[in-house]
Amino acid sequence: MNHKKTISLSPIIKTLLPKQLYKKRFLLQDKGLNNHINIAKDARIIGNSTITIRKGHDNHITIGKGGKFNQLKIDINGNHNQVTIGEHVKFSGQLLVVGNHLHIYIGNNTTAIDCYILARDKSVTIGQSCMISRGIEIRATDVHKVYDIDTNARVNKAHTDVILGDHIWIAANVTISKNVSIASGCIIAAGAFVNKPVETPNCMIAGTPAKIIRQNVRWER
């Protein structure tokens, strides 16, 4: 496979080929049209890693050079979406996009052991050099809709993208919910539920719901 080669199969060719193709050790299932998958030549993929495009067109998946991936599952259902993984990323987990014109972005040198990311209603961005532990859920939606009985207005709508800054350490079993942004340099303690923006950089966050418990801290791998 050439460096960053793009899969683009015509409808006629796709009818002649099996539904499952292999792309760089990813098991690929593409049921849409004009979708583009670019994987750096030196990306290292092990385990049962899959790319599934359930339906839709003009979706773009880009995986940068020097990455290492174990049991990475990318799943897209919709049109004009983007999943971008930067350079030298180590990641295991699931990236799920449901909808149109959404994106999941993971910055250079970020690592994640077991992470579930859902972009539905809004997008998710993770900065560079973040360290993400096990049992992490990051989602830009509540998935199921809740309405006010009197006004019929939805009360749990996602209004903004989930955005994590650079050099953030997320300890085990953390959930980050819709409408959340977290400033660079922060530490999120194990078991925290983050449901509000954290605008103060270099702070420690803990609790359910999470709150700042200490400021002016830094961390190293």
Side-chain angles (χ1 to χ4, degrees):
M1 187 193 73
N2 294 330
H3 180 66
K4 292 191 175 181
K5 184 178 179 181
T6 297
I7 286 183
S8 183
L9 301 177
S10 70
I12 295 176
I13 293 177
K14 290 179 76 172
T15 60
L16 301 176
L17 292 174
K19 292 295 184 181
Q20 297 180 337
L21 301 173
Y22 281 91
K23 170 91 173 163
K24 186 68 179 180
R25 296 197 69 182
F26 277 100
L27 179 63
L28 169 65
Q29 300 181 33
D30 183 355
K31 299 181 180 179
L33 296 174
N34 299 318
N35 297 304
H36 306 279
I37 302 170
N38 305 314
I39 302 174
K41 184 176 181 180
D42 64 348
R44 182 180 175 187
I45 296 96
I46 62 176
N48 182 25
S49 295
T50 63
I51 294 174
T52 304
I53 300 176
R54 299 186 181 277
K55 65 178 181 180
H57 61 272
D58 192 35
N59 295 293
H60 293 258
I61 297 172
T62 303
I63 297 177
K65 66 181 182 180
K68 296 181 180 180
F69 306 97
N70 183 14
Q71 298 186 17
L72 171 60
K73 301 183 185 302
I74 300 174
D75 195 315
I76 296 177
N77 189 347
N79 306 308
H80 310 293
N81 299 299
Q82 295 186 22
V83 172
T84 304
I85 300 175
E87 298 179 357
H88 306 290
V89 171
K90 297 179 181 179
F91 195 99
S92 66
Q94 184 174 0
L95 309 178
L96 176 60
V97 180
V98 181
N100 304 314
H101 299 283
L102 299 171
H103 70 259
I104 292 175
Y105 176 82
I106 300 173
N108 298 340
N109 301 303
T110 285
T111 62
I113 299 173
D114 175 21
C115 182
Y116 172 84
I117 299 176
L118 171 60
R120 180 172 178 174
D121 297 333
K122 294 294 181 178
S123 298
V124 176
T125 296
I126 298 174
Q128 300 185 38
S129 302
C130 293
M131 184 169 65
I132 302 172
S133 187
R134 298 181 183 275
I136 307 303
E137 183 171 330
I138 302 170
R139 47 185 170 83
T141 177
D142 282 343
V143 182
H144 303 293
K145 300 175 182 179
V146 179
Y147 295 93
D148 181 275
I149 293 177
D150 295 326
T151 65
N152 203 36
R154 185 176 176 183
V155 299
N156 66 336
K157 186 176 181 180
H159 299 287
T160 62
D161 294 345
V162 172
I163 301 176
L164 278 60
D166 298 329
H167 195 64
I168 292 174
W169 174 14
I170 305 176
N173 301 316
V174 167
T175 298
I176 297 174
S177 190
K178 65 184 188 301
N179 303 326
V180 167
S181 59
I182 300 176
S184 296
C186 288
I187 301 169
I188 305 175
F193 173 58
V194 186
N195 64 347
K196 294 182 180 179
V198 179
E199 299 179 351
T200 304
N202 303 108
C203 67
M204 185 178 294
I205 309 157
T208 304
K211 62 180 181 180
I212 296 174
I213 61 172
R214 187 163 184 172
Q215 298 187 31
N216 297 320
V217 296
R218 66 180 183 88
W219 65 270
E220 298 178 355
R221 289 180 181 267

